[in-house]
Amino acid sequence: MSGSTDRAKPLLPIVVLLSGRGSNFKAILDAINNDGLPVEIRAVISNRIDAPALSYAQQAGIQTHALNADDYPSRKSFDHALQSLIDTFEPELVVLAGYLRILTEDFVQHYAGRLINIHPSLLPEFRGLNTHQRALDAGATQHGASVHFVTEELDGGPVVLQVNVPVNQDDTSETLAARVLEQEHRIYPMVLRWFAEGRLDWNDGQVLLDGQPLTSPQQLSA
Ligand code: GRF
């Protein structure tokens, strides 16, 4: 995809990594196409050749690639191949959108400050998987989603923006997940816009928003 000629600013080149459904990727694409998000998706890369999002991306005219972990002897060699592939697209930001694979330290360090993720909980609560059921089991009254920079600590990097989603008494993990996902689609494009517009920056482990250190996440309500 290329930007229209009347844009004053260049588009932020990104590569999206995903493993499955890709609804966050679609939300980003929608924001580009419908809301003027100044981002160019140079490629979508999956660690699963059967990820449904790949055909969607192809139909949208975006380059896609799938790397199969079985073809690599180690996690390190897989991530090295992934990194080499990503770098051919020269992205300024690598966007994890449901990428269900642990990244090596080398990979994370290579993209320090240029690697971002969305996680379906109010971090630091409920890192890891099954966040919605765990929130229900814990009796949480508030749940949500967080966009954060990725560091070596799993789901532990600095959170930029999070959205609160109230838990209803009759929620199941499915109904809660659906309401959280709707909000994910709202906040991920917002953070990408901040980054693309130069408002969001990373300086040696410190997140800056509008030039000021971000000491706590920006908050939104559903
Ligand atoms: C989302 O809930 C996201 O927060 C998590 O994985 C899920 C991916 O969903 N990291 P999708 O593939 O974007 O629909």
Side-chain angles (χ1 to χ4, degrees):
M1 298 177 68
S2 62
S4 58
T5 49
D6 58 356
R7 282 181 191 276
K9 285 189 180 167
L11 303 179
L12 175 78
I14 70 169
V15 166
V16 175
L17 303 189
L18 49 73
S19 302
R21 177 177 62 177
S23 70
N24 276 288
F25 152 66
K26 290 176 195 168
I28 293 165
L29 190 57
D30 282 350
I32 293 170
N33 291 334
N34 304 327
D35 300 327
L37 178 67
V39 163
E40 175 194 0
I41 303 177
R42 292 206 171 151
V44 170
I45 303 176
S46 174
N47 64 321
R48 299 203 41 168
I49 49 175
D50 58 350
L54 289 175
S55 52
Y56 189 91
Q58 284 157 12
Q59 281 162 24
I62 299 170
Q63 270 209 51
T64 63
H65 292 270
L67 296 186
N68 186 353
D70 293 343
D71 295 339
Y72 297 87
S74 65
R75 191 173 287 280
K76 207 176 168 73
S77 61
F78 178 88
D79 271 11
H80 192 262
L82 178 61
Q83 181 181 313
S84 300
L85 177 60
I86 292 170
D87 286 349
T88 62
F89 296 103
E90 301 184 343
E92 285 179 33
L93 192 67
V94 177
V95 175
L96 304 182
Y99 184 69
L100 302 176
R101 194 177 154 84
I102 306 271
L103 296 162
T104 57
E105 266 187 41
D106 284 354
F107 183 95
V108 171
Q109 279 164 11
H110 179 73
Y111 295 108
R114 297 191 293 137
L115 185 59
I116 203 155
N117 183 41
I118 188 157
H119 182 78
S121 81
L122 295 173
L123 290 171
E125 290 185 71
F126 309 120
R127 296 177 182 184
L129 299 174
N130 300 323
T131 57
H132 310 299
Q133 188 58 52
R134 286 161 61 209
L136 291 175
D137 292 347
T141 56
Q142 290 289 327
H143 188 43
S146 307
V147 177
H148 67 96
F149 281 98
V150 176
T151 60
E152 290 89 335
E153 194 182 347
L154 183 67
D155 299 327
V159 177
V160 177
L161 174 63
Q162 52 191 197
V163 59
N164 287 267
V165 175
V167 179
N168 297 337
Q169 276 196 337
D170 58 353
D171 262 330
T172 62
S173 75
E174 287 76 22
T175 58
L176 184 55
R179 288 204 312 289
V180 170
L181 192 63
E182 202 181 315
Q183 296 301 318
E184 292 185 35
H185 298 162
R186 175 180 170 218
I187 63 171
Y188 219 177
M190 284 180 80
V191 173
L192 295 190
R193 184 180 293 275
W194 293 346
F195 198 93
E197 291 177 347
R199 296 182 55 195
L200 178 64
D201 210 350
W202 171 274
N203 183 14
D204 203 16
Q206 169 77 67
V207 177
L208 302 175
L209 187 61
D210 295 328
Q212 299 300 314
L214 189 66
T215 49
S216 58
Q218 297 288 296
Q219 300 283 343
L220 286 177
S221 298

